[in-house]
């Protein structure tokens, strides 16, 4: 009986320890992991061809700052309404922020009065890692070959670098046109639907995508014009 008691007590302690450890790990996971394995609902069957445009909020679509005399103020990036309205024709638009939902929702309500943004993801949907909140596109419930992430801090805020579309961070420069400059590239992608956007973005690595796209378009038009001219010469 004494032997049985000595064997039973440690076993119960071990079981209690394992339960407490599992509970603690689950609690920590709630702060470090995205709130769901599928952050977005399934796409409608008729929209399986549609690309998903994920947009960061701060320093991409707007800028927030605090001053002692007036507190917090939020400013819209130049062209943001036109950018959203135009691209909503082609993309499923998602805002993904590392701020709390209580801050994100009222800001997006004012920013997107025409309801161009389909979904909003806030801090609970991020992955907390190395002291930072990262956007984890693998949890979106979307084909990663059809996801683009536009951000002023893209490479520093997203775990999937291959899906990033870096843009100049905005800090209230009045003459900024970065969002509008990006529209031709994003519209081209949506219209032509490459089989996988990731190698396309890799071809622009280290370059300003908006400027490089215009240069490539001009070069393509030049080659097409030359081929057309050569065809005319042969017909003569």
């Amino acid at each position: 009986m004494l032997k049985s008691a000595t064997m039973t007590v440690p076993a119960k302690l071990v079981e209690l320890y394992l339960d407490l450890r599992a509970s603690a790990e689950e609690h920590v996971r709630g702060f470090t992991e995205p709130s769901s394995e599928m952050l977005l609902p399934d796409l409608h069957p008729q929209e399986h061809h549609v690309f998903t445009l994920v947009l960061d909020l701060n320093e991409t679509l707007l800028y927030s700052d605090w001053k002692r005399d007036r507190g917090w103020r939020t400013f819209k990036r130049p062209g943001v309404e036109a950018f959203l309205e135009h691209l909503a024709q082609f993309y499923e638009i998602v805002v993904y922020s590392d701020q709390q939902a209580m801050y994100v929702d009222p800001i997006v309500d004012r920013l997107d009065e025409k309801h161009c943004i389909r979904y909003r993801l806030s801090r609970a949907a991020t992955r907390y890692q190395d002291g930072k909140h990262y956007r984890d596109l693998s949890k979106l419930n979307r084909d990663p070959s059809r996801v683009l992430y536009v951000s002023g801090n893209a490479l520093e805020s997203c775990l999937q670098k291959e899906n990033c579309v870096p843009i100049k961070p905005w800090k209230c420069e009045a003459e900024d046109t970065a969002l509008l400059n990006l529209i031709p590239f994003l519209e081209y992608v949506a219209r032509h639907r490459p089989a996988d956007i990731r190698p396309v973005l890799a071809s622009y690595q280290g370059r300003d995508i908006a400027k490089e796209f215009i240069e490539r378009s001009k070069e393509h038009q030049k080659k097409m014009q030359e081929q057309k001219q050569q065809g005319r010469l042969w017909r003569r």
Side-chain angles (χ1 to χ4, degrees):
M1 287 177 65
L2 287 172
K3 184 178 179 181
S4 175
T6 57
M7 293 292 288
T8 303
V9 172
K12 287 183 177 179
L13 287 174
V14 170
E15 186 177 343
L16 177 61
Y17 165 75
L18 291 175
D19 287 344
L20 288 172
R21 179 176 173 179
S23 176
E25 288 176 348
E26 184 64 29
H27 184 68
V28 170
R29 193 176 298 113
F31 289 100
T32 60
E33 298 287 325
S35 55
S36 172
E37 289 296 309
M38 295 189 295
L39 296 171
L40 301 178
D42 292 344
L43 269 174
H44 191 279
Q46 294 181 351
E47 290 191 314
H48 279 176
H49 64 284
V50 174
F51 279 59
T52 299
L53 183 63
V54 182
L55 304 173
D56 201 359
L57 197 58
N58 205 34
E59 296 189 9
T60 303
L61 301 183
L62 50 83
Y63 182 77
S64 298
D65 74 342
W66 183 89
K67 290 186 178 180
R68 184 178 238 174
D69 59 335
R70 59 167 170 78
W72 283 100
R73 284 191 65 184
T74 299
F75 305 88
K76 296 180 181 179
R77 190 169 196 162
V80 64
E81 291 99 339
F83 177 86
L84 291 172
E85 188 173 353
H86 185 74
L87 292 175
Q89 303 173 72
F90 308 102
Y91 286 90
E92 171 194 40
I93 298 181
V94 179
V95 161
Y96 202 163
S97 173
D98 62 0
Q99 294 176 300
Q100 299 281 7
M102 61 184 292
Y103 298 110
V104 172
D105 287 338
I107 288 174
V108 173
D109 285 342
R110 294 195 299 272
L111 176 69
D112 182 34
E113 294 180 352
K114 295 188 177 180
H115 307 291
C116 299
I117 297 168
R118 288 203 200 177
Y119 303 107
R120 308 163 184 187
L121 299 176
S122 50
R123 180 171 293 184
T126 62
R127 181 185 296 278
Y128 188 70
Q129 183 175 303
D130 301 325
K132 291 181 64 177
H133 291 275
Y134 289 93
R135 287 74 165 158
D136 188 352
L137 305 182
S138 70
K139 305 296 185 183
L140 291 182
N141 189 32
R142 294 293 181 268
D143 183 345
S145 68
R146 293 194 177 104
V147 176
L148 298 91
Y149 172 61
V150 178
S151 173
N153 302 286
L155 301 177
E156 296 80 25
S157 62
C158 182
L159 293 175
Q160 290 73 31
K161 314 296 184 190
E162 62 276 14
N163 292 94
C164 288
V165 180
I167 190 174
K168 179 185 175 184
W170 184 64
K171 297 183 180 180
C172 280
E173 297 90 345
E175 303 302 319
D176 179 87
T177 60
L179 281 177
L180 299 177
N181 294 345
L182 200 55
I183 288 177
F185 170 76
L186 293 174
E187 182 175 338
Y188 183 88
V189 168
R191 288 185 181 277
H192 290 81
R193 300 173 193 166
D196 191 336
I197 191 58
R198 292 168 293 187
V200 175
L201 295 178
S203 74
Y204 287 88
Q205 189 172 7
R207 298 172 179 151
D208 183 313
I209 292 180
K211 290 181 180 178
E212 180 67 16
F213 175 73
I214 295 299
E215 291 302 314
R216 292 185 187 185
S217 298
K218 289 179 180 177
E219 188 64 29
H220 177 70
Q221 291 174 359
K222 182 180 177 182
K223 288 181 179 178
M224 294 295 290
Q225 194 64 34
E226 289 173 352
Q227 290 175 3
K228 188 183 292 186
Q229 196 66 29
Q230 287 175 0
R232 289 174 184 169
L233 291 174
W234 279 111
R235 284 196 294 272
R236 291 178 185 175

